[in-house]
Amino acid sequence: MWMTFDSVRGRWWSLPWSLRGRLVLGLALLALLALGIGVAALHSRLLVATGLAAAWAALAFVIGHRLLHRLQALSCHLRDQAATGAAPSLETLIPGSDEVAEMARSLQCLAIDSARLAQRNSELASARHALHEQGDILELIATRAPLPRVLDRLVRWAEAQLEGLTGAILLLDGLHLRHGATARLPEHFVKAIDGLHAIANFGSCGAAVQRHGAVFVEDIALEPSWLAGQALAAKHGLRACWSMPILSHKGTVLGTFAMYADRPRNPQANELHCIEAVARLAGLAIERQRAEQRIRHMAHQDLLTGLPNRTLLNDRMAQALAQARRTGHPLAVLVIDIDGFKYINDSLGQAAGDRLLRAVAARLQDIVREGDTVARLGGDEFVVLLVDLDRAERASQVAEEIVRTLALPLRIGGQAVDVTASVGVSTFPDDSDDGDSLLQQASEAMLRTKELGRNGFQRYTPDMGAQARERVELQAALRRAVETQQFELHYQPQLATATGRVLAVEALIRWPHPEWGLVSPDRFIPLAEDLGLIAPISEWVLQTACRQLQAWRTAGHTELVMAINLSARQFDGHDIPLLVAQALLETAVPADRLELELTETALMQDAEGALATLRQLHDLGVGLALDDFGTGYSSLSHLRQFPIDAIKIDKSFTADIGRNADTSAIIRAIIAMAQSLGVATVAEGVENDEQLQFLATLKCDRVQGFLFARPMPASQVVALLGAPAQAPACDLLLDALVPVD
């Protein structure tokens, strides 16, 4: 049954006055006790003991002697435990389950929880401070703060976190550890460890580098790896060293972070955690700086050779010109282009081409002075900037030395490579006072060198500007000609010396430009090789010549042979046997009616690769002729290896017949050698009867030249061949030919 408020009030007033007073006082004191407990939660367990002691005096008047005794014991117990730091325990002191015991145990739990809460709050505050510091350091890294500033902040943060410890960061530089940052380490000790060799048996940091892991030395005085530095460490009160390697994101060692203690011991868990955090942040900072250094290097240096690029060259050019204007001393710009580099790169591979470029860069740097600049503009083009010259003619001497030095034999990947260079020279103030103009003029002079046969140098002259513009126009026109197939083929007969019969015709490309007229092959073929257009041109020649031969075969000239020149660049392509087989298949021309002419230079630049390609072509049944024989550098051993069917005597030898006894002896030796090897001979450039008679006497197999016919369109060749039904078929008697003017 519930009691009403009136009944409770009645019972209260019915109690004796003394009892009512003690109950009121007891409730008040309990309230004060609760308030003391709350204050204790904010301070410490010692306050709890003090509050309980104060409550004991008041409770003595209210609760009686027994309760007084228990509270007094509780107060003493808590005071003792607070003084010793031991955890409170009241189970043995206050046994039982009465109200006092329960109250004491509740107070114990409250005190313990209050202490734990205070400790947790302290830890959280410390953690928040640490996170704030790490955030500030990350912001420094993100905003590209200088690396020394970031590392110094890291060391100071670690020392603030771990009182009594001293830190240092060392950066790995090759095989040595260099000073990175420190705050409280003695300067003498810092100088001693700066430049330490990063080997495993020297100190904690060297061992950490070698092991890629943490190294904790509990007592430096007892550690063998610290033998050389024990006295120095002891002098400065350093007794323990804990080193952690600083790693990149790929695991590469960038340096070390070490903490030093003033007494022998190992790190605690929180100390280890801090050391690891510093090492991680230091790794981020170091990687960021090195990435920026790489970017700056890439912006100003050529990645392959390490030479300055165009950007840095322009900067140095501007500085050099400013100095030259002040001093009055001339400067020179040399543009160097490697002759035939594309062929070398295609035949030997890009890796070999890269090694060649690095070798050329090294040779150029050995030639110039310390204050001069060697730069790479890209591809196979280099620039040399010669400053503070005593006279402008000095530039020509350097250019001559460059040509001579680069022509020395090189070995790339175990293979000998012959390299030549074309050099152009311009000077300040004779040619221009502007850097861009000097560079352009030197380039024009270099192109002029190539037009004159390469492997040399030319000084800039004013008329070269017009020639350079003409070359640019020719390049654009040649590209359009390849796209629209503006070319045509002319054919020059090759006759049997003994019978006068036309045995073959040589296909020769011509370019009838709509505005310029007939462009000489001597002008556009080298340009096509430089531009990489020779492959599509050669493929067009192969297809067109085979179709024309098949047309003549259909007309009855079935014994006629078509001779086609292959460029060195085209021959180097590993797909040439496939292209030839495809052309023969599409045009139905028998393989033995096709003869491919190749120069000695093309074969000897890569003899092993050439031999493999020649064997594939020979297996197809195609005839193979060695063109311009005697002008290259083939040897008899190579002639025995190569499956050659014919040798073409160069027209320069033919032109000297009757005028130079040595030349006549050379021709006689070539024909005798070919006959001994079972190889046919073809003489080019026959222009008079004396030459023809000499070759016929030596039993040269075929002759070709203006004495018989100039290169002509296919429609004119038919007239020379005659009607197939007439005898002799495909004959063109020598005495029936009228020399063509």
Side-chain angles (χ1 to χ4, degrees):
M1 179 180 295
W2 292 97
M3 297 179 64
T4 64
F5 175 75
D6 291 338
S7 62
V8 172
R9 184 175 58 179
R11 286 178 178 269
W12 169 258
W13 288 110
S14 63
L15 293 174
W17 180 87
S18 59
L19 180 57
R20 290 201 307 269
R22 279 186 287 180
L23 288 174
V24 171
L25 183 57
L27 291 173
L29 290 175
L30 287 175
L32 289 175
L33 181 60
L35 179 61
I37 292 173
V39 175
L42 298 177
H43 293 81
S44 68
R45 289 173 292 179
L46 187 59
L47 290 177
V48 177
T50 305
L52 291 176
W56 165 77
L59 288 177
F61 296 96
V62 180
I63 311 175
H65 179 73
R66 182 170 175 269
L67 182 58
L68 172 63
H69 177 73
R70 290 197 176 195
L71 289 178
Q72 184 179 18
L74 173 61
S75 177
C76 294
H77 182 67
L78 291 178
R79 187 186 301 274
D80 294 340
Q81 289 187 336
T84 60
S89 177
L90 304 179
E91 292 293 340
T92 57
L93 183 63
I94 308 178
S97 58
D98 57 7
E99 294 83 353
V100 176
E102 290 298 331
M103 181 180 66
R105 295 189 186 101
S106 298
L107 291 175
Q108 177 194 23
C109 293
L110 286 173
I112 293 173
D113 291 342
S114 298
R116 289 175 178 172
L117 181 60
Q119 182 180 0
R120 181 59 177 167
N121 288 337
S122 176
E123 293 174 352
L124 289 175
S126 177
R128 282 193 297 269
H129 180 71
L131 288 175
H132 179 74
E133 284 292 320
Q134 292 186 43
D136 290 345
I137 293 172
L138 286 172
E139 184 177 358
L140 289 177
I141 296 173
T143 55
R144 298 183 175 88
L147 182 62
R149 179 184 173 190
V150 177
L151 299 182
D152 180 74
R153 181 72 174 271
L154 279 170
V155 172
R156 293 182 183 278
W157 171 63
E159 291 180 347
Q161 288 287 107
L162 308 176
E163 295 183 5
L165 299 179
T166 304
I169 291 177
L170 298 178
L171 301 178
L172 185 61
D173 180 16
L175 296 177
H176 295 84
L177 290 166
R178 305 293 181 184
H179 170 65
T182 187
R184 296 203 301 260
L185 272 183
E187 183 179 355
H188 183 64
F189 185 81
V190 173
K191 291 181 179 179
I193 63 175
D194 186 20
L196 286 178
H197 202 285
I199 56 177
N201 61 349
F202 197 97
S204 308
C205 295
V209 170
Q210 292 295 317
R211 300 176 190 176
H212 282 60
V215 175
F216 301 146
V217 174
E218 181 180 1
D219 191 344
I220 293 177
L222 302 178
E223 175 61 34
S225 64
W226 269 91
L227 185 61
Q230 287 173 350
L232 182 63
K235 177 181 178 181
H236 296 289
L238 306 177
R239 300 298 305 277
C241 179
W242 316 319
S243 181
M244 181 74 65
I246 300 173
L247 304 177
S248 69
H249 71 284
K250 294 182 178 180
T252 304
V253 177
L254 305 175
T256 61
F257 173 59
M259 294 296 285
Y260 296 86
D262 57 2
R263 58 187 176 87
R265 67 183 183 90
N266 279 321
Q268 299 177 3
N270 65 314
E271 294 170 335
L272 179 59
H273 177 75
C274 181
I275 294 172
E276 292 173 345
V278 171
R280 285 195 300 270
L281 292 173
L284 289 175
I286 297 170
E287 279 200 288
R288 187 267 304 164
Q289 185 208 43
R290 294 188 177 180
E292 290 183 352
Q293 290 176 344
R294 286 194 296 270
I295 291 172
R296 286 194 295 269
H297 181 83
M298 292 170 62
H300 296 92
Q301 309 289 143
D302 174 57
L303 297 181
L304 177 63
T305 62
L307 297 176
N309 60 12
R310 184 183 293 271
T311 301
L312 186 54
L313 173 66
N314 290 338
D315 181 66
R316 293 187 179 179
M317 182 93 71
Q319 297 179 25
L321 284 171
Q323 180 182 0
R325 294 187 185 101
R326 290 193 303 269
T327 63
H329 292 173
L331 64 78
V333 176
L334 284 66
V335 173
I336 303 105
D337 188 86
I338 307 303
D339 298 329
F341 174 75
K342 187 177 186 303
Y343 174 79
I344 296 173
N345 200 52
D346 293 342
S347 59
L348 300 182
Q350 184 175 351
D354 290 346
R355 288 195 292 271
L356 172 61
L357 292 175
R358 285 192 288 266
V360 169
R363 288 188 174 185
L364 291 176
Q365 288 178 301
D366 290 340
I367 293 173
V368 302
R369 300 165 300 173
E370 184 177 353
D372 300 327
T373 296
V374 178
R376 179 179 176 228
L377 298 187
D380 59 338
E381 194 170 65
F382 296 84
V383 173
V384 171
L385 175 62
L386 302 175
V387 300
D388 198 25
L389 298 175
D390 53 353
R391 51 195 176 87
E393 290 72 18
R394 170 63 180 158
S396 297
Q397 298 174 4
V398 175
E400 185 176 0
E401 185 178 359
I402 288 174
V403 172
R404 183 175 61 255
T405 301
L406 294 185
L408 297 175
L410 274 173
R411 294 198 68 84
I412 304 297
Q415 182 168 343
V417 177
D418 290 319
V419 178
T420 61
S422 298
V423 182
V425 182
S426 64
T427 59
F428 166 89
D430 295 342
D431 299 321
S432 177
D433 62 353
D434 174 71
D436 291 339
S437 299
L438 287 170
L439 193 59
Q440 178 63 32
Q441 291 166 348
S443 296
E444 293 170 2
M446 179 271 293
L447 294 176
R448 181 59 177 163
T449 304
K450 286 187 175 294
E451 292 174 357
L452 295 177
R454 310 182 181 191
N455 192 26
F457 77 93
Q458 289 289 314
R459 289 282 303 268
Y460 172 78
T461 57
D463 64 316
M464 290 181 180
Q467 296 173 357
R469 289 189 293 273
E470 179 183 345
R471 179 181 173 88
V472 172
E473 293 177 1
L474 186 62
Q475 289 178 358
L478 182 58
R479 294 185 187 278
R480 290 193 297 271
V482 172
E483 294 174 358
T484 59
Q485 296 185 350
Q486 294 179 3
F487 306 107
E488 61 184 33
L489 289 183
H490 287 194
Y491 302 90
Q492 187 174 31
Q494 295 178 359
L495 290 80
T497 309
T499 64
R501 184 181 182 184
V502 176
L503 299 179
V505 291
E506 181 180 2
L508 302 169
I509 191 171
R510 295 293 183 264
W511 178 16
H513 191 273
E515 297 180 5
W516 304 333
L518 203 62
V519 181
S520 169
D522 293 338
R523 288 188 62 196
F524 72 84
I525 290 299
L527 183 60
E529 291 180 341
D530 291 340
L531 297 176
L533 298 175
I534 196 64
I537 292 176
S538 297
E539 186 174 351
W540 177 86
V541 170
L542 178 63
Q543 291 282 347
T544 305
C546 286
R547 285 196 297 270
Q548 181 59 59
L549 178 60
Q550 182 57 26
W552 284 330
R553 288 178 56 81
T554 302
H557 304 290
T558 56
E559 298 300 317
L560 190 64
V561 173
M562 178 67 72
I564 300 174
N565 287 284
L566 283 182
S567 165
R569 307 281 180 86
Q570 174 73 1
F571 178 73
D572 177 64
H574 300 293
D575 59 346
I576 186 61
L578 179 61
L579 293 176
V580 171
Q582 183 177 355
L584 295 175
L585 181 63
E586 292 177 354
T587 59
V589 170
D592 61 351
R593 297 297 92 190
L594 180 65
E595 184 176 81
L596 301 178
E597 298 182 0
L598 312 110
T599 64
E600 289 181 87
T601 303
L603 296 180
M604 300 309 300
Q605 284 185 342
D606 180 13
E608 294 183 4
L611 179 58
T613 303
L614 288 178
R615 285 175 176 170
Q616 293 181 55
L617 293 171
H618 186 266
D619 292 342
L620 290 175
V622 174
L624 300 171
L626 188 59
D627 199 8
D628 300 337
F629 185 80
T631 61
Y633 44 85
S634 61
S635 63
L636 291 178
S637 62
H638 284 116
L639 284 178
R640 288 197 302 268
Q641 294 177 6
F642 293 149
I644 299 297
D645 301 298
I647 291 176
K648 298 193 72 174
I649 301 172
D650 187 69
K651 60 184 178 182
S652 61
F653 292 114
T654 305
D656 274 352
I657 292 176
R659 296 183 300 183
N660 189 312
D662 292 338
T663 301
S664 299
I666 291 173
I667 294 176
R668 187 178 291 106
I670 291 174
I671 294 176
M673 176 193 66
Q675 291 172 348
S676 66
L677 294 174
V679 175
T681 52
V682 182
E684 296 180 304
V686 179
E687 297 184 357
N688 56 56
D689 291 332
E690 182 182 5
Q691 295 168 352
L692 175 61
Q693 185 61 39
F694 179 81
L695 294 169
T697 302
L698 297 177
K699 296 183 179 180
C700 178
D701 297 292
R702 284 182 271 169
V703 288
Q704 173 183 354
F706 289 174
L707 178 63
F708 317 114
R710 289 178 180 271
M712 61 189 70
S715 58
Q716 298 180 19
V717 174
V718 174
L720 295 177
L721 295 178
Q726 298 177 356
C730 294
D731 283 352
L732 184 61
L733 298 179
L734 298 179
D735 56 359
L737 285 173
V738 178
V740 180
D741 295 332

